[in-house]
Amino acid sequence: MLPKHSIFRNALLLTAIDLLLRGISMSFQIYLSGVIGAAGLGLLQLVAAVGTLGMTLGLSGVRTAAMYLCAEEYGKRRPGGMRHVMRLCILWSSVFSILTAAALWGFSNQLAAVWLKDLRAASGLRILALSLPVECLVCVLCGYFTACGKLRRLACVEVAERLVSLALTFLLLRLWAHSELERACCSLLLGGGGAAVFSAVWLGLLMRKDLRQYPPVPQPPQLPRRLRQLCVPLALGDYLRSGLRTLEQLLIPLGLERSGGSTGSAMAAYGTIHAMVFPILMFPAAIIFSLSELLIPELARCRAEGNSRRILHLTGRSLRLGPVFACGVSALQFLLARPLGMLFYQSEEAGHYLRLFAPLIVILYADALVDGMCKGLGQQTANVRNNTITSLLDVALLYLLLPRWGIGGYFFTFVLTHALNFYLSLRLLLDASGSALPLGPLAKTALCALASAAACLLLPERGQCLLQILRTCGLFLAAYLPLLYLTGALVPNDRRWLRRTLSRGKGH
């Protein structure tokens, strides 16, 4: 008998771990901003964009495939088949990651000179190449543990990995890099690579121990073909989308420079938005990403079992409760933009950009949740098509608008493409699941958030930043939560489920 897992309890566990890791990372980002400045953070973001593209090429869709196929074996009561799934997935990842690493090493100088416009990034790209196969292996192993619902083990490994990474990076920064940008970049990448080796060994031993408890079974029928059917469209879509996103990241500072600013000011603006504002913007999204990650294997299991009733239950509840959280976070970050920018970075500019992007939290968080549900319902190919369309539009608009409008062109492009992507993903989810969009509760939720934010605007902005944040959060929650109940934005079934889950720890 396979274990039943509460999605909500597992999501809380993943969220707690994710928030801890994000908090540690944000603290380290603040430390880095003081060491190398906004322009240095901008260069690091560009190197990270190339690393993300390398991870996409190295994985070639296999992480999602491993999660999906393991969840199918679970749903069909064939846990022994996961041994064959993981063997093929690791082989797939090894081939593509080694080929990608070889190309990244061989073309590191050209990439640094032509793409990143900074030869100091070449050594960092070579370090990325060395660590790439191990990091891809870790991603595949994480897919297995997520599909099986063994999240406590995964959480322990992830916390340990992050701590090892930060410890190694900090030591390298203090003993070797100091404030030199090239060495600082290498320190970050060496710390991450060393931690990936540590994580791969630990997760590999845990998976080997797990799989030994299941009796050997023949390889599931047509498993290699099923793996290819999943990986090929996912990989092709990810290649195109990741390539376009990398191009987007490279176009932003170049476009800002062409709009009339210097190279240094363009890199500083890019670093402020991507390395300062976006971490704050997405910090509370930990619970959304956790739910999205868990919904992929859960909906895959339901689909394999033909359990359409639970599919409707999960999608409907997610579409109702996700916006409750997103609207609250969006309103709070809009209200607290300036104090947060000053508290973390002593930057008025960071607070200005945070207030500008805060209303988009509703779309960004909801899109992440919808994207996970689409993948769980087997809509990978259609989802990839939608993402590719919006990425192509993004690149075209950035190329045309950034030189003319600067940051305004970037913001307009960001809003338009993310809104379009969310619309296409939502329509795909509704068609695949048979769910209906809960327009009534959604409208009430938005009105509750707006009314609560309006009440907070009456507070005078005085006192220390931390005091302002605590006072505003207290008033907002004191208004927002009762309004959700009074207006019926939370339907009775959801209220009972939340009370039962939070009081007894038994979600469904």
Side-chain angles (χ1 to χ4, degrees), residues 61-80:
V62 76
R63 185 184 188 279
T64 301
M67 194 186 307
Y68 190 87
L69 291 173
C70 284
E72 275 195 340
E73 296 302 308
Y74 235 54
K76 294 177 180 177
R77 302 298 191 265
R78 292 197 310 251

Side-chain angles (χ1 to χ4, degrees), residues 65-327:
M67 194 186 307
Y68 190 87
L69 291 173
C70 284
E72 275 195 340
E73 296 302 308
Y74 235 54
K76 294 177 180 177
R77 302 298 191 265
R78 292 197 310 251
M82 291 188 293
R83 183 181 291 106
H84 300 285
V85 170
M86 291 306 297
R87 176 177 56 82
L88 288 176
C89 289
I90 291 173
L91 177 61
W92 181 285
S93 173
S94 299
V95 171
F96 283 93
S97 61
I98 291 172
L99 290 174
T100 303
L104 185 57
W105 179 282
F107 293 99
S108 57
N109 288 327
Q110 291 89 333
L111 288 172
V114 178
W115 279 25
L116 305 185
K117 307 293 184 182
D118 196 327
L119 282 173
R120 293 175 297 178
S123 55
L125 294 177
R126 286 191 285 271
I127 295 172
L128 275 177
L130 290 175
S131 62
L132 184 65
V134 181
E135 292 181 358
C136 290
L137 174 61
V138 171
C139 286
V140 176
L141 295 174
C142 289
Y144 161 79
F145 284 98
T146 303
C148 297
K150 297 176 180 178
L151 301 175
R152 293 183 185 276
R153 297 180 183 180
L154 183 59
C156 291
V157 177
E158 287 183 343
V159 171
E161 179 187 0
R162 187 63 59 89
L163 293 176
V164 169
S165 174
L166 293 179
L168 289 175
T169 302
F170 182 76
L171 286 175
L172 289 169
L173 286 172
R174 293 296 299 271
L175 301 177
W176 177 59
H178 305 295
S179 59
E180 186 180 333
L181 181 55
E182 182 177 2
R183 289 189 176 186
C185 180
C186 291
S187 298
L188 285 166
L189 298 170
L190 285 170
V197 173
F198 166 82
S199 184
V201 172
W202 193 355
L203 287 174
L205 292 174
L206 288 175
M207 185 187 72
R208 184 180 179 185
K209 181 180 178 181
D210 281 348
L211 293 177
R212 282 180 174 176
Q213 66 182 318
Y214 301 124
V217 297
Q219 180 171 293
Q222 299 182 322
L223 180 59
R225 184 177 67 84
R226 290 163 60 203
L227 178 65
R228 288 195 303 271
Q229 287 178 340
L230 281 171
C231 284
V232 170
L234 280 171
L236 292 176
D238 286 347
Y239 293 164
L240 183 58
R241 188 177 63 202
S242 185
L244 291 171
R245 285 185 176 176
T246 303
L247 181 58
E248 292 167 21
Q249 299 300 308
L250 300 175
L251 279 174
I252 292 167
L254 293 176
L256 292 176
E257 183 181 348
R258 288 169 59 199
S259 69
S262 66
T263 302
S265 63
M267 193 65 74
Y270 174 78
T272 299
I273 293 174
H274 283 265
M276 296 182 182
V277 172
F278 281 4
I280 297 177
L281 200 74
M282 302 308 292
F283 182 83
I287 190 167
I288 297 296
F289 290 129
S290 299
L291 279 171
S292 178
E293 186 88 350
L294 293 170
L295 283 168
I296 295 174
E298 181 66 19
L299 289 172
R301 282 191 288 267
C302 294
R303 187 167 176 261
E305 296 168 354
N307 191 348
S308 57
R309 181 177 178 183
R310 180 154 176 80
I311 290 174
L312 285 172
H313 170 76
L314 289 173
T315 54
R317 179 155 285 166
S318 298
L319 289 173
R320 290 192 302 273
L321 294 182
V324 170
F325 177 74
C327 287

Side-chain angles (χ1 to χ4, degrees), residues 367-379:
D367 188 49
L369 197 57
V370 169
D371 188 69
M373 289 189 283
C374 287
K375 289 178 180 177
L377 292 172
Q379 301 299 313

